[in-house]
Amino acid sequence: MDMKEKLQQIAESARQSIEKAQSPEKLNDARLMFLGKKGELTQILKSMKDVSPEDRPKVGQLVNDARSHIEKMLEESRKKLEAAALEEKMKREVIDVTLPAKKAKLGHRHPNTIALEEVERIFVGMGYEVVEGPEVEYADYNFTKLNIPEDHPARDEQDTFFINDSILLRSQTSPVQARVMEQGKLPIRMIAPGRVFRSDEVDATHSPSFHQIEGLVIDKNITFADLKGTLQEFAKELFGPETKTKFRPHHFPFTEPSAEVDVSCFKCGGKGCRFCKGSGWIEILGCGTVHPNVLRMCGIDPEEYTGFAFGVGLERIALLKYEIDDMRLLYENDIRFLKQF
Amino acid sequence: MYVPDLDVTAQEYTDAMTLSGTKVEEYKVLDRDIDRIIVGRIEKIEQHPDADKLVVCQVYTGEKTIQIVTGAKNVAEGQLVPVVLDGGRVAGTHDGKMTEGGIPIKTGKLRGVVSEGMFCSIEEFGSNTDMYPEAPENGIYIFEEGSVKPGDDAIEALGFHDSVIEYEITSNRVDCYSVIGIAREAAATFNKKFVPPVVKATGNEEKAEDYIKVTVKDPDLCPRYCARVVKNVKIGPSPKWMQRCLAKSGIRPINNLVDITNYVMEEYGQPMHAFDLDTIEGREIIVRRAQDGEKFVTLDGQERTMDHDVLMICDQKKAVGIAGIMGGENSMITDNVHTVLFESANFNGTNIRLSAKRIGLRTDASGKFEKGLDPNNASAAIDRACQLMEELGAGEVVGGMVDVCSEVRQPSRVAFDPEKINALLGTSLSKEEMLEYLGRVELTLDEATGEIVAPTFRQDIHCLADIAEEVARFYGYDKIPTTLPTGEATTGRIPFELRVENIARDIAEYCGFSEGMTYSFESPKVFDLLRLPGDDPKRNAIVISNPLGEDYSIMRTSTLNGMLSSLATNYNRRNKNVRLYEMGNIYIPKKLPLEELPDERRIFTLGMYGEGDFFEMKGVCEEFFGKIGMHDRVEYRPETKRPYLHPGRQAEIWYRKTMIGYLGEVHPLVASAYGIGEKTYIAMLDMKSLLPFAGFQPKFKGIAKYPAVTRDLSMVVPRDVSAGQIETILIQRGGKILESYELFDIYEGSQIMSGFKSMAYSLVFRHQDKTLDENEINSVMKKILNGLSGLGIELRS
């Protein structure tokens, strides 16, 4: 039998052994049987010394071919076995994907804060700066500088908490207007959110402590029309693009002309429902062009500058937007309430 | 009346008035719930065959006779009564209970006898005997003979085909607290003619000054006092039209004299008072300040104490009224009055307001005076009252008026500048258009001076902005264009401290804490709840002078009570594992009593019960510090001094030699005082003190190129040596090459000598620029070990 035949025989018997090997161990046995130190192919190589020198390169070539052929078969089989093993493993690893999730227990922001962030986002986008002022405030800022002189009924104790004659708990965020104007940096575009206090007993719609967001714009050539446009944009951003606004004349000592603003009910779209008490409109804020007396008292020349101001009740927005029916819920901090936001 | 050409529905009216600035709060259609009620004449009454308490009436309704069964006691043959017919509705039951939408009435049988409707009491019309004093208590309404005939609309006859409109009047428009004022606005809104009442001259040949003298000693508090006299007064009921009018305004008709003063007050907005002239000693009215402590009995029979700032109406011997607030019992009108003195005065609004508040007596009159009335209106109103006295035959009006007037109010004048008005409003109206709108509310242009002249009742017109508002109101706010501000662009920004607060919120929420909000004021009792000693500086709280009650009377100096109360609410409601945070202020006075504004400090408060412990709370704090760029070592100093915290489980948090907060387990006694039955942990971070250390600019240090060497330290440590002390030594002695350390084991128990614990740290050394050699590390380790042995620490063998 010549060498070539012998090698073919070895290759054939290797193929059969490899095919029979159904595990990595068996495959390794097969490898050792043919390619190991005592393997059949190795034996042949060892017997090369018996081959005539002129035939050696040719025989060597044949042996190497056989070797690489066997190696290739081994490799293919190994891959197949591994793939089958992985397949088998994954079959065992099937899970019930409908089992409950493992959640990170995240906390929740207060609905007031969510509403405030929404309002801040809108106005910061329009170039407004967020400013804060003190909650315990001088009567001077809360009243006098807002065109509410000493004997004005609005200073009456029935609405305002006083510490003494000159210091009180601010009843509105408007004093921040005066504080910012006094700094004299013009133009001004600011909003001032914060806590305010009024002497109201606690019930479903009242709280002695609540939040307002004050807005103020002072510049040359600011008009009432600008106020209308700005608040219309705001209402659309806050309550949806379909929202309409209605400006009704009103009175505030620190603005003239003044207005109250209603938005079309975002629940019924203005047709009238229980939410808007059938009117189709919901009152959301008060506003107006800054009174020249206020500008003057804060050191701004009303002949040169004009401006507008507005004040929004934060709780009012939160209650409306999230359909919360009782203001007391906002200050109880029951986790079952807070979790919903 | 007043605006005769007005022809709009109630809905159109309210919408338009609201848009022009007279906001309609509510309008009530009086006949909304009543229908098919006519006048019937009772022709025959017979006993019901099967019921003792019922009678069967034959009632003529103008066309036919119908049968009504009734239980009413006050029916008699021949009476004219209201009958609701089959298919009609009444507003409520005879006990005054109203039913929304009304109660339908149908023909039916009462104890077997057919009744084709029902007789009505005034309550079934939706009113009451206060407003309809002629109506009997607990009985059917009976019409006066001759006033109506069978078949007439009873709803019409009683004046219920009407609407009552309630307005929200802004405080600057005192003139609109009157029918005339509203009518003027309505006329302007609909661009119709305003027709005020025609007041004719009244009075006989006599002169009022022969009856009464008026002396005003404090003209600053009483700019005007008008007095007129009516003699031969006949007290009796006022006519029905006047009674109905008052009833609709919610004013109970009393008698002709009282009704006339009330009517004029509603119509003109000017309160008036009537004295019995025979009770006025010396026939002189003296207007003066009260003496301090002066006692006075008002109309309602109450004795009240005055002070020097209260203005009194007096005669030569005694006080007869508190000016602008209430008359006295001693000069009250009785049914036997002969001669009446009418007062129509003007008082200083602020004085009236403050007096009414001090005395504790706020009346309809004072409510009007306190807004500051137009003195010019006083004489018009008193003339109107005298005219009504005459027209109603209530007495003989004496000629003339005693008028003590120290201030004739001049109309205010504002330079008219159409261009500026357009610039302010963002409109482009012509001068003529503006003048047309202004003219509707009697604001006229004085061509000579170029000024707009406002009538004296318009006390709200002072500057061009006020004129602009009037133009805008009648042009229509809705017609003003909508634009956005032009001009210099500004950068929107959220200030640094608010950004830091928002990060605090984010971190708290990642760690499972939800945001709560609590009041800034609380009860002084919380200091005891928190076990604060009597001299604790936290007890120095700002006190509110007019709080809602003791529970809301001081400004909080700590947010702890709010947090514990909120946790307690949750605990009571059986909510498990609750974690809350709050971002709120405390108020620290610099000095008490307060002279300047307090230090308002924002406190980031965290609180929890249920799952989690001290170290988890500490972890939340550290996550926060890390996130806002506080990368230096934060020190936790064990403390015992906060009595509301567990003495062995509290720590102050220090950063670069500043205390930035504290945390700990709530003292079990405090937790139980709040009703929290689980271990409760809190942390208080003072935002103002940590803000200077916060920053959002991380600097990249490069990723280490050279290998690290790890050494473990397993130690036996005296029990009272803290991890903090060990770590201080590690940091101080480890030097630059100590990259990090980590406590990986702590154990106390049977394997370890009592009084000791076992602790194991893993130290990581690395050099930025080279591979460390063994000798360098050994020398540092030696330094560390020396330091540790100073604390009595030994290496475990």
Side-chain angles (χ1 to χ4, degrees), chain B residues 187-198:
Chain B
T189 301
F190 293 97
N191 202 12
K192 303 283 184 201
K193 200 168 155 45
F194 167 59
V195 184
V198 180

Side-chain angles (χ1 to χ4, degrees), chain B residues 20-37:
Chain B
S20 73
T22 310
K23 188 185 178 192
V24 173
E25 195 74 356
E26 191 185 20
Y27 76 89
K28 239 185 352 212
V29 179
L30 296 180
D31 58 5
R32 191 192 65 188
D33 296 344
I34 49 181
D35 196 17
R36 281 172 64 80
I37 309 180

